[in-house]
Amino acid sequence: FKKLTYSRLTQASELVLPSLLRQHEIAHCLILAGTNYLNLLEATAAARAQYVFYGNNLVSDSPRTGLDQVRSDDGSGAAEATAYLIRLGHQRICFIGDTSQPWFKERYEAYRDVMNDAGLEPSALTVGLSDDPFRNGYSSTEALLRRKMEATAIFAGSDDTAFGVWEQLQQC
């Protein structure tokens, strides 16, 4: 498979979808995951390809309804993770994640609410220092250490971000 890369600015009619979609008996259904924009959903529907969409990572001003999608509960998961860290005794928990992305924003807001409810001050690096979540976790942790922000725990907003955090901490 060749990785499909595209911009949110590309017109759906201009997206070049893999030729695999035109070959019968090869793919009966696609799973669209990762960061996606409405134009990919429109192009896939226009190609009459059946698909299931991981709906959390849709970058759009309006929700896409009327399609098969799987979603996770970003807010509840983040709230539970934050509460768990607090139960472990952590009081200075730093959130790392690019809140310009809606899934990071929802996770951050839940983290912030739990911290506030516990009487703790939220601390976060929410500006993406890189478009790559791994690099963002790595660079944000580097910035956190350079600024001498005393964190007892880091809440990374995604697995890739956490891998970047871990890599940076391994170098200390």
Side-chain angles (χ1 to χ4, degrees):
F1 279 120
K2 180 181 175 187
K3 183 178 178 183
L4 175 66
T5 57
Y6 67 102
S7 161
R8 74 174 80 197
L9 303 176
T10 306
Q11 295 296 317
S13 61
E14 295 175 13
L15 283 177
V16 178
L17 299 177
S19 60
L20 175 71
L21 293 178
R22 292 184 292 280
Q23 298 174 2
H24 299 288
E25 303 297 322
I26 300 286
H28 297 284
C29 180
L30 300 172
I31 298 173
L32 301 179
T35 303
N36 288 294
Y37 308 102
L38 283 177
N39 56 356
L40 178 64
L41 301 181
E42 292 165 0
T44 304
R48 298 185 191 273
Q50 295 204 4
Y51 65 93
V52 174
F53 174 62
Y54 180 66
N56 286 58
N57 294 7
L58 176 63
V59 180
S60 172
D61 293 333
S62 60
R64 177 74 174 191
T65 58
L67 57 105
D68 291 331
Q69 57 182 296
V70 175
R71 299 182 68 81
S72 60
D73 189 345
D74 289 322
S76 291
E80 289 176 20
T82 305
Y84 176 73
L85 291 171
I86 292 169
R87 284 193 308 275
L88 290 176
H90 293 284
Q91 295 189 0
R92 293 183 312 274
I93 304 166
C94 183
F95 178 91
I96 294 177
D98 181 0
T99 57
S100 71
Q101 303 296 332
W103 51 96
F104 282 116
K105 182 178 180 190
E106 187 172 345
R107 294 169 192 168
Y108 170 73
E109 289 171 350
Y111 150 85
R112 182 198 61 212
D113 291 347
V114 171
M115 291 291 286
N116 286 333
D117 290 347
L120 300 173
E121 184 177 340
S123 171
L125 294 169
T126 59
V127 175
L129 301 178
S130 170
D131 289 337
D132 176 346
F134 175 89
R135 294 289 319 153
N136 191 39
Y138 185 91
S139 300
S140 294
T141 304
E142 182 179 45
L144 182 141
L145 296 170
R146 191 175 52 250
R147 294 178 188 171
K148 299 187 183 337
M149 295 173 71
E150 295 183 14
T152 59
I154 295 174
F155 182 135
S158 73
D159 290 346
D160 289 335
T161 304
F163 290 133
V165 169
W166 179 256
E167 184 68 26
Q168 178 58 243
L169 292 174
Q170 290 298 305
Q171 295 183 9
C172 295

